[in-house]
Amino acid sequence: MYTYGPVPSRRLGRSLGVSPIPPKTCSYSCVYCQLGRTKHLQVERKSFYPKEQIFSEIQKSAESSEPDYITFVGDGEPTLCKDLGWLIHQTKSKLHLPAAVITNGSLLYLEDVREDLMEADVVLPTLDAGTEKVFRHINRP
């Protein structure tokens, strides 16, 4: 199952969540993560699941729930999904719904990640620390 909700969001209204990555796959292991410690710590982008299968579930869930946003966030870092740009494009062009991405921002240095996020309506990066020492303590990269 790739979608959940919609859940109420102060910023995004009724947000249909999409997790295009396996549970607890992330580039960090933040001390505050509601899902616990990261099980699959990685920075390599991959196609974890068939993108058509993910989009098919997004379509079905969106039709039955009428969300305000399709939000790519999941159970880890969504920019690890190599198909994220394609999923955002399909969401916007076929469903005519705005797309949001909630990210820890760790992969924003990669050009292909920035390109994938260009079509999103909202990108919400996490900013946790003002110094490297605090960052390492909180985010545990």
Side-chain angles (χ1 to χ4, degrees), residues 5-37:
V7 296
S9 167
R10 291 177 300 176
R11 298 171 283 190
L12 304 172
R14 288 173 44 84
S15 172
L16 180 67
V18 179
S19 184
I21 57 173
K24 287 308 296 168
T25 300
C26 195
S27 50
Y28 295 161
S29 187
C30 300
V31 296
Y32 60 80
C33 184
Q34 64 192 20
L35 301 170
R37 280 196 173 266

Side-chain angles (χ1 to χ4, degrees), residues 8 11 18 28 37 39 41 54 66 68 75 78-79 86 90 93 95 97-98 104 106 115 119 138-139:
R11 298 171 283 190
V18 179
Y28 295 161
R37 280 196 173 266
K39 293 179 182 148
L41 191 63
I54 297 170
E66 299 180 17
D68 297 315
D75 298 332
T79 62
W86 185 88
Q90 294 299 311
S93 66
L95 301 180
L97 288 167
N104 65 24
S106 64
E115 286 175 14
E119 200 169 346
I138 291 174
N139 298 112

Side-chain angles (χ1 to χ4, degrees), residues 53-75:
Q53 208 172 61
I54 297 170
F55 184 68
S56 176
E57 188 171 312
I58 293 169
Q59 277 184 299
K60 287 177 190 164
S61 296
E63 287 170 6
S64 65
S65 64
E66 299 180 17
D68 297 315
Y69 272 87
I70 303 298
T71 305
F72 296 90
V73 61
D75 298 332

Side-chain angles (χ1 to χ4, degrees), residues 1-2 15 20 43-44 48 50 55 63-64 67 71 73 75 77 85 94 104 108 117 120 133-134 141:
M1 192 159 125
Y2 309 108
S15 172
V43 293
E44 179 187 353
F48 295 97
F55 184 68
E63 287 170 6
S64 65
T71 305
V73 61
D75 298 332
E77 176 50 39
K94 295 205 166 132
N104 65 24
L108 291 176
L117 296 177
K133 182 179 178 184
V134 173

